Each structure stands twice: as C-alpha cells, then as structure tokens.
C-alpha cells in the first residue's frame, strides 16, 4: 500500500482553461479538491477564474497492474523522434558509443549507466525547452533530462523507448519524477538513470513519447503561473534495494 498526494498552487491572471495529469490509473481511494471533467488517460480539465487556485490530489494505491504487452503500434510510436527526444540527430554518437554491444538489454543497461556517470544532477540547469541534445552537450540536468537522453539514445539504436511520469516513494527531495520504459522481448521494462528512487515502488501517472505528453499541467487558454507545488509519496514498510541492473516493470512489485 502507498499513500500519494500533491498540492499545486496557481496564480491565475486571466480566465484560464487547463488540463491536469496528476491522477493515477488504479487508486483504491482518491480525492480531487476541484471540480473537473475527467478525460481519457485520467486527465482532468477545468476552468479557472482570476485569483488563487489550489488543487489538491490524494490517493491510496495498492499493487499496480503490470504494463500491457508491447504491441506493434507501441513499437512504432516509441521508435519515432519527438520534441524532446530528437533521436534522428544522435544516431552517429549512439552507434559509436553503444552500437557494438548488440544485445538490446545489455545496450539499454550500458546507456543508462553512461547517462548516470556522465550527467550531473543539477536543479535549475535546464528549462521547459531543453531537449536531449542540449542535455548531452551541457552534461547536466534533472530527472526529465536524464529520461529524455536515455530514451533518445535507445531510439537512435532502434530500441523502442517511452517515458513515464510517476510518483516515487523514496525520492529526495520529493517531487514528480520521470523515468524511461524500453520494449524488450515484448515487455516494457523501466529504467532510471538518476538512481534516486527504487523502481519497484514507482507509481505510474502517465506515459508518452516525452515530457510534452506527460506534463502535470497544460494551459489551454488564459494566463496563469504555478508558484507552489508539493508532492508526497510514501510506501508501507522499508523501501526495497534497487541494483538498477535487474529487469523491472512498473507495477511488477507490490507497493
């Protein structure tokens, strides 16, 4: 069993429409503090008038369902370059650095290890327009940058890769988190090059090509800022040890 929660504080300066992506797919119990229309994928649409808007979400989560088997369509989508993962621009680098490994699982392990060793986790080193090429050149980033670079290098070597936004018990400081899933032998396996939280306790929020698909809040119209955000994710008992080499799927272990 896990307990998750988040609080988002918005300053709305013009009437606005926004979509939230903070709810988990299969909660045991949950509450959302605002009136919103639920959309496919557990997204929530709402309108906000000028002033202060506070959104609180809480849920109790049991064992999560394992990802569905990889389909042909999944592979196609997860192989394409995307906004933050321009894999077509790093094929030469990826081939030189990792192309001789051959085995897809060993290749993903090597990519994840390389990103862990060569990037510095630096808060404030990237922004909303930073893509994987920027991260590769600067050598620094936060979880979304690590995930984008891993996914980009995998796709450049014809390994389908996507990202998953998650709640992450054990993460410090606590925040929303982004990890990578790769298609290996017909199953989605999760990787986290930051190594900041055990993969076995991660709780999926949303899945997509990159952070553009998994944004926690998207403004459709109007004007607002989000100066306040707190996140909580607590798993029962001791956190498991993650050696970051084993094959793990989101939802594989009880939480």
């Amino acid at each position: 069993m896990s307990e998750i929660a988040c609080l988002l504080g918005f300053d709305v300066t013009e009437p606005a429409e926004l979509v939230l992506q903070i709810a988990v797919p299969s909660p045991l119990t949950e509450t959302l503090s605002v009136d919103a229309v639920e959309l496919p994928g557990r997204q929530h649409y709402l309108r906000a008038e000028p002033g202060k808007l506070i959104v609180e979400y809480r849920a109790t989560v049991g064992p999560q369902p394992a990802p569905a088997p990889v389909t042909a369509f999944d592979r196609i989508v997860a192989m394409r370059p995307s906004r933050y993962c321009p894999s077509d621009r790093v094929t030469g680098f990826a081939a030189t650095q990792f192309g001789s490994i051959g085995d897809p699982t060993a290749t993903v392990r090597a990519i994840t290890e390389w990103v862990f060793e060569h990037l510095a986790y630096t808060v404030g080193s990237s922004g909303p327009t930073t893509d994987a090429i920027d991260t590769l050149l600067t050598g620094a980033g936060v979880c979304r940058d690590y995930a984008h670079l891993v996914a980009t290098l995998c796709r450049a070597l014809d390994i389908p890769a996507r990202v998953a936004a998650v709640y992450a018990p054990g993460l410090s400081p606590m925040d929303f988190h982004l990890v990578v899933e790769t298609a290996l032998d017909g199953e989605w396996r999760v990787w986290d090059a930051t190594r900041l939280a055990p993969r076995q306790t991660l709780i999926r929020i949303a899945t997509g090509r990159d952070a553009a698909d998994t944004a926690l809040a998207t403004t459709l119209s109007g004007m607002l800022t989000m100066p306040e955000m707190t996140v909580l994710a607590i798993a029962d008992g001791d956190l498991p040890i993650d050696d970051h080499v084993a094959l793990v799927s989101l939802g594989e272990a009880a939480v």
Side-chain angles (χ1 to χ4, degrees), residues 240-255:
I241 295 173
D242 189 350
D243 64 9
H244 298 284
V245 174
L247 292 177
V248 174
S249 296
L250 283 180
E252 196 168 78
V255 295

Side-chain angles (χ1 to χ4, degrees), residues 134-150:
D134 299 322
T135 301
L136 182 63
L137 293 175
T138 61
V142 293
C143 66
R144 61 173 265 161
D145 306 304
Y146 279 64
H148 285 158
L149 185 52
V150 171

